[in-house]
Amino acid sequence: MVVADTVVSLGVFASFYALLALGMNIKYGHTGLLDFGHVGFYLIGAYTAALFVLPPESGSPGTVYVVGLNLPWVVAAAAAMLVAGVVGALVALPTLRLREDYLAITVLGVSAIFQRVVQAESWLVNGPDALRGIEPPLTGRFPVGGRTVFGAIAIALIGGAIWAVATWALGQALEMDGSSGTGGTDAARADGSGGQESRATLAGRLHAVATLGTDRLLGDRGGSGRGNRALSAAVDRGRNGYVGSSLLAGVVAGVVGAIVTFIAPVGLLAWGTVVSVFTWLVLLVGLGRYAGGFDAIDYAVTLALGAGYMLALAPMFFLDSLVLWVPLTLLAFGVVIGVTLFLRANWSRFASRPFRYGTFVGLWFGVIWYFPLQVLSSLRAGDAMAAATTLFNNTVWVLSLSAPEPIIGYSRFQLFLFGAIVFLSVYLLGLVVDSPFGRVLRAIRNDERVVSSLGKDPFTYKIQSMAIGSALAGLAGALAALYYQTLVFTMFAPRVTFIALLMMFLGGVGNNRAMVVGAVLYWAFEAATTELAGFVPPDIRENLQALRFVIMGVLFLVLLYYRPEGLLGERSRTGVGSE
């Protein structure tokens, strides 16, 4: 089983929900405006984009819609953002001068009206029936190999973007402890951890290699000599967050990858392997920096707990009798949870940083599922080659290796496209919220009387916040239409708003990057519970799937009680404004 394909599909699905949560975060996290009707703008964006890309209506009795403009997806996404943003501002106009709870109730009602109009008016977007025929872009061009012109161009874009984002993320990971590769060791030693300096040095060297010499190129601008290079590198790191060198490195990596894959028969496989391994190394560096003062004992304990939670599922996999595996699974989970709570209450290491421990327990659980669990059946059958092939396929996630030769399938192109949109949105919104405009929004959230006393009109800023957040929801709807290719009014139920709220609180209110984390975690839980539901008889499967919402609610309450700021919390803005 190539589980990398499943993870890629999960990433595509989580991308537009991350945008939906990001729009909610702009409204509530940064401005304090609670919008219970956020799904209404998601609906507007989806149907607007669909009408822009659909061909003119042919009069078929199966599918009827008001207009089909047959325009490119870029235009459709822009129109979806514009229409959703304008509608969001207009809906907020009558209520924002009143209390915020009036806005929440009004927008909830308006979103229900939007859904009912779509359902009732058959001439508009096919009424209660599905709106079909939405054609994603470039579907006929995929899958692609390396030895074609279009394939080389696609590889240059995809590989360059992945390399640029990974290099930027590596730089951000190095900045977690305020250094670019050598700092942070004093804090680590103060925590009692040894050997952090060597890991930091290796991480810094990895970043130096990943930039492909572009940091030196930037350092040479404006003069020559080591001093100018150091000054320019410091400006690039501090002000732009490694953006300049990362973008240049992405361009270089994309061009080199396109050339190699175009001229060499095994070039695509080599390129995919290098890019995939690089992303895994960046992930390891980021986790190592997040671990802080972890030592071998901490890693061993979290690994044991992660393996314990995985083993607790063993009765479900190996026992056919429902009467046997249900109580055994519950008993096993009870034991592991009891051990976790005991360590949380009685072990100082765990008690001092419980969420960091919990994060690594979950990560070990995922690692066990992603790598060794996938080759267990092959190893039990004595087929070492099949096990090695599965491990290689899951490691080289950039490529689809199920075909006779390596290819880039459309799902991976969608992941690249959606991921690039999410990354760009998070980056641009980071600039917005760190600007004077963003500081006014946060001041309104904290106490709008202070804003009024300084001569600013809170009402104007609230309208703009509603427009920006609603436009992001519209963009999420456009991507959803591209992904699903079919729209039904039931997809836009009020629960979608509360899913976005859950993602926001899960990641961290007021933290734009945390919206991506919240979306991925939520849909990972959804996918895992859906897969586990396949082990139960069909007659009780629906009840089990409903039970996951109860479990999710309990976990959410636990999170709000013990960590109301979310897993990542609100990003610190110390020094913002002086950068």
Side-chain angles (χ1 to χ4, degrees), residues 308-309 311-315 325-338:
Y309 281 101
L311 290 174
L313 295 172
W325 70 253
V326 169
L328 288 177
T329 300
L330 293 178
L331 177 61
F333 267 105
V335 171
V336 181
I337 292 173

Side-chain angles (χ1 to χ4, degrees), residues 169-377:
L170 180 59
Q172 297 298 303
L174 294 175
E175 287 294 312
M176 282 184 184
D177 55 9
S179 73
S180 60
T182 59
T185 57
D186 293 336
R189 282 192 291 267
D191 288 338
S193 63
Q196 183 76 7
E197 183 173 358
S198 62
R199 291 197 298 271
T201 303
L202 289 175
R205 290 176 180 174
L206 177 62
H207 184 265
V209 172
T211 55
L212 305 176
T214 56
D215 52 345
R216 295 179 179 272
L217 178 63
L218 291 175
D220 286 335
R221 292 191 306 177
S224 61
R226 183 177 299 176
N228 281 328
R229 286 198 299 269
L231 176 61
S232 180
V235 171
D236 180 47
R237 289 194 301 269
R239 180 174 298 172
N240 299 320
Y242 297 95
V243 171
S245 60
S246 299
L247 288 176
L248 285 178
V251 171
V252 173
V255 172
V256 171
I259 294 174
V260 170
T261 56
F262 187 76
I263 65 176
V266 296
L268 181 58
L269 182 61
W271 168 85
T273 302
V274 171
V275 173
S276 298
V277 170
F278 176 53
T279 57
W280 287 115
L281 291 175
V282 172
L283 179 61
L284 289 176
V285 170
L287 292 176
R289 289 309 178 99
Y290 177 73
F294 268 33
D295 57 17
I297 296 177
D298 298 305
Y299 287 117
V301 171
T302 53
L303 173 59
L305 289 175
Y309 281 101
M310 179 60 71
L311 290 174
L313 295 172
M316 180 180 295
F317 288 95
F318 295 106
L319 297 179
D320 296 330
S321 175
L322 188 67
V323 178
L324 288 177
W325 70 253
V326 169
L328 288 177
T329 300
L330 293 178
L331 177 61
F333 267 105
V335 171
V336 181
I337 292 173
V339 171
T340 304
L341 294 178
F342 177 81
L343 292 176
R344 169 71 174 82
N346 297 280
W347 196 33
S348 59
R349 285 176 182 255
F350 203 144
S352 62
R353 42 196 173 186
F355 278 90
R356 190 164 298 183
Y357 261 74
T359 299
F360 273 85
V361 170
L363 285 171
W364 283 121
F365 182 93
V367 168
I368 294 170
W369 171 75
Y370 192 86
F371 286 110
L373 194 64
Q374 304 304 319
V375 301
L376 186 60
S377 59

